[in-house]
Amino acid sequence: MKEKFLLLSMVLLISNSVVMATDNSNIGKTMKKSYEKKLALENPETIEIEEEVVIEEIVPMRSEKGKEMVNTPMARVETRKKRVPKPFEPNGTIGFTQTFYGNSGKYKTATAHPSLTLDYNFAPKWSVTLEFDRLMNMYSGGYDGEEDQANNNFSSPQGQLTYSHGKLWDTDILWTTNLGARQYNYFTDTTNSVYTWINMEFDFYKYMPDWVTKFALMPMYNYGFYPNSSSGHMNHASLNLLTQYKLPAGWSLQVDAFFFKEFYNGDFEVSGHEEANYFSFYAWLEYSKELYKFTDKTNLEFNFAGGFDPYTVSNKRGTGWAPPFWLLSNSYEWLSPTVTSSDENYNSIWTAFALPQLQVNYKYSDSLSMNMFVQVKYSNQVWGGNQKDWELQPQGGFGISYNF
């Protein structure tokens, strides 16, 4: 048996799938929305109020006998207007997106994917994000283990709690802490896994030029285990750099670099390997432009995303390995390459993609909006020892969101 190493989990090697990627309703707009949300936290909405101010004055007045002037303290009430932070009210967004993925050339990748999300701000600095995804194979004949088939039949709930500390002491560094967990359920006792994580972001973007919208250091720890197994776990420690940039002509760029080490134990071990080091990065370009405005409530957009998703290098060589959990679960695309190379040793693996999209948006009210989209992805269907078989995959779907 050819040597394998580094296990993000047997689940991901079996499925070649990506979860917790970008919502297809937001293709081309994730960096802009992230920056706008950060600005809203830094500059909360204000309201104008009136307040009564008591003003004390010294007024010269004649004494009771009227023979001399005496300085007498007097008080008067004056009404003034001023702006104050708007009182906090819990708020959030509920979203549903249904995406259909087609086959990719000769590769059977047709998948149905409903996704339900909740983003809830329940206190001035606290928020929680919940997400549930269900993917189902749609190609004829069903999955039977053939190499040209992607097995995208699973469900995956996730939750993350976020605390925005604000500025770090007397600096302009923004500090955020995230605590989360995700489960992968492939409907068998041996392929279910759970991952938990805690990370902190320290964003230095205010010390950068105006075209830098994020420049954050993120130390992180995550822990993975099989809930139905008596032994086996994964420990991950990393120091990462997360950056976003505004480019000319409406383009945006995100480059995230990851330096991490993982330790494996029990059922997580592969061919006796108990640890591995990695360097990896994402590099994504985004673009969004309104093409036509039908009415005040309806428009047509062109959106685009593309880049490396991710590029990973390890200190060990092996066969059949894929990028670790955190990289796959936070990549831009939803479906990773169908085939993971197992016929030669390699110490690097990568995928690249281009994803243009046409989207029609309808804003029913300030709270309720809907969209329909069609898109096509061009990417490699084989990765590992070789990155090859570049194919087109048609995609389409619809989304709805409600703000409260």
Side-chain angles (χ1 to χ4, degrees), residues 1-16 143 147 264 266-276 278 314-322 339-347 349 384:
M1 179 178 181
K2 294 184 178 180
E3 185 181 51
K4 296 181 180 180
F5 77 92
L6 49 102
L7 181 65
L8 89 98
S9 86
M10 291 302 294
V11 172
L12 293 176
L13 291 177
I14 291 171
S15 68
N16 292 320
Y143 179 75
E147 187 178 54
Y264 312 114
D267 292 342
F268 269 81
E269 292 183 13
V270 177
S271 299
H273 290 281
E274 297 181 352
E275 55 83 20
Y278 304 88
S314 175
N315 67 321
K316 298 180 182 291
R317 298 183 66 87
T319 63
W321 62 273
V339 178
T340 303
S341 176
S342 60
D343 58 357
E344 62 181 285
N345 290 328
Y346 54 90
N347 68 345
I349 184 172

Side-chain angles (χ1 to χ4, degrees), residues 332-392:
Y332 204 103
E333 316 169 72
W334 267 97
L335 304 181
S336 61
T338 303
V339 178
T340 303
S341 176
S342 60
D343 58 357
E344 62 181 285
N345 290 328
Y346 54 90
N347 68 345
S348 65
I349 184 172
W350 57 271
T351 182
F353 75 104
L355 182 62
Q357 178 196 73
L358 288 175
Q359 184 178 70
V360 175
N361 302 296
Y362 175 64
K363 186 177 181 180
Y364 178 78
S365 65
D366 289 339
S367 299
L368 183 63
S369 60
M370 293 159 272
N371 65 74
M372 295 181 64
F373 55 87
V374 292
Q375 57 199 42
V376 61
K377 185 178 77 170
Y378 182 67
S379 65
N380 52 308
Q381 290 300 311
V382 177
W383 63 349
N386 293 292
Q387 279 62 223
K388 62 180 183 179
D389 289 2
W390 298 81
E391 301 286 355
L392 293 171

Side-chain angles (χ1 to χ4, degrees), residues 157-169:
Q158 168 173 295
Q160 178 169 280
L161 181 66
T162 298
Y163 181 70
S164 300
H165 302 263
K167 294 183 178 181
L168 180 64
W169 298 312

